[in-house]
Amino acid sequence: MGRALSAARRLMPATLFGRLALLLLVTALISHVLALTMMFELRPMPPRHHPGDMGGPPPMMHLGLLLDIGIRLTAVALAAWVGARWLSQPIKRLAHAALELGHDIGRPPLQMQGPKECRDATLVFNQMQAQIQQQLSDRDRFVAAVSHDLRTPLTRLRLRAEGIDHPEQRRKFQQDIVEMDEMIRATLDYLRGCADPEARVLLDINALVDSIREDHADCGHAVTVVGTALPLMAQASALRRCVVNLVENAIRYGESAQIRLIDAPDSLRIEVHDRGAGLPEAELNKVMAPFYRVEGSRNRQHGGVGLGLSTAHDIARHHQGQLQLINAAAGGLVARLSLPRLPLPR
């Protein structure tokens, strides 16, 4: 059976035009044979001639003609339906692979199947995926090198700042160094993004948010947690960075943060509420773009570098979830992180 299928595939035309022409030819032959067979089976008995008959085709001849036309039209319609599904299947497979590529750049390459045009498109698609993987790998190496090169002079600056005699000048110098270090860390975290091949683990969400709350409580920030959730398959470091960015954004603009866990069988929702002034509706999506801030200034005391929400948005997307910003009816901003519950690995 397997050899017969292999032989049939080798005899199959290589192009879409060839396959469609073959399908129509087979349809025409089958419909012709069926029509002749039905007409033969339903042909009338030879009529007896009576005096005064004017001749003309018997009623069964009209029925045979209509039957012939009906069979042929039905065969053509069936062939069109089969042909559409047959020829569109490789295209659907390619579209599905392109959708999966947005969630997992490391997915296995597509198999070379289908007619010549689809195999050519699959080859180009696999080449594009390999090029993107190579670019991400090069970016990771670049980020690691830049991280090392930038932190080395910052360490030297810290040591030299300790030698400044004037206390006020030493404090300002150290504050500038801390701000530079925070900007470098935020930029490198964003550039590194979720391309970091961190393994997914069954993460204790309750312990995660409790540790974030305790860390901010040690710094004097008001952070509360409402609700509980079952463990979730996720990248632990990336998801922590995502929630921390949302909490820090809430504290920066609303002075406090409330983390709400809303669990469901197929998804988990983590909402971070603040008591700030909210955002204009037109800005809710814009603020998740890299380096974008609502106010035009770059005041470090107020606005950061504009990468916290961008990083959180990318992390949510790589977990096949989404991040939404919503103005609460009672005031303040709600950062809603929705994550699907993926099946556990076997």
Side-chain angles (χ1 to χ4, degrees), residues 213-227:
R213 177 185 58 79
E214 292 173 358
D215 290 344
H216 284 82
D218 292 340
C219 299
H221 299 149
V223 178
T224 58
V225 177
V226 176

Side-chain angles (χ1 to χ4, degrees), residues 4 38 45 52 65 72 78 96 102 128 160 185 202 228 240 294 315 323 329 337:
M38 294 298 292
M45 297 296 294
L65 180 61
R72 294 180 190 276
L78 181 61
H96 180 69
M128 178 191 69
R160 291 172 183 172
R185 177 185 59 80
L202 192 59
T228 60
R240 179 183 177 84
V294 177
I315 293 173
L323 175 64
L337 176 62

Side-chain angles (χ1 to χ4, degrees), residues 132-201:
I132 294 175
Q133 289 174 335
Q134 182 62 41
Q135 290 175 357
L136 290 177
S137 178
D138 293 342
R139 187 189 69 173
D140 289 346
R141 289 195 295 269
F142 170 76
V143 167
V146 170
S147 176
H148 178 270
D149 293 342
L150 289 178
R151 294 188 186 281
T152 299
L154 278 178
T155 302
R156 292 199 300 264
L157 286 175
R158 283 196 185 92
L159 295 175
R160 291 172 183 172
E162 296 295 333
I164 298 177
D165 296 331
H166 196 285
E168 183 63 18
Q169 291 295 329
R170 182 170 64 249
R171 185 190 65 80
K172 292 181 178 179
F173 204 89
Q174 291 173 339
Q175 181 179 354
D176 289 340
I177 293 174
V178 170
E179 291 182 1
M180 289 175 61
D181 186 55
E182 290 178 355
M183 287 188 290
I184 291 172
R185 177 185 59 80
T187 304
L188 292 177
D189 283 347
Y190 175 76
L191 290 176
R192 188 180 301 112
C194 295
D196 187 9
E198 182 184 359
R200 293 178 184 263
V201 297

Side-chain angles (χ1 to χ4, degrees), residues 238-284:
L239 188 57
R240 179 183 177 84
R241 185 163 66 247
C242 176
V243 178
V244 166
N245 287 352
L246 298 180
V247 171
E248 290 179 350
N249 191 74
I251 292 173
R252 180 182 292 117
Y253 293 101
E255 298 181 356
S256 65
Q258 183 185 73
I259 306 174
R260 297 182 185 177
L261 301 179
I262 304 172
D263 205 357
D266 59 345
S267 64
L268 169 66
R269 204 164 73 203
I270 303 176
E271 295 184 348
V272 180
H273 296 240
D274 66 40
R275 299 179 182 177
L279 283 173
E281 291 294 329
E283 304 288 340
L284 291 176

Side-chain angles (χ1 to χ4, degrees), residues 16-29:
L16 287 172
F17 174 77
R19 294 190 176 192
L20 186 57
L22 176 62
L23 178 63
L24 293 178
L25 177 61
V26 172
T27 301
L29 291 175

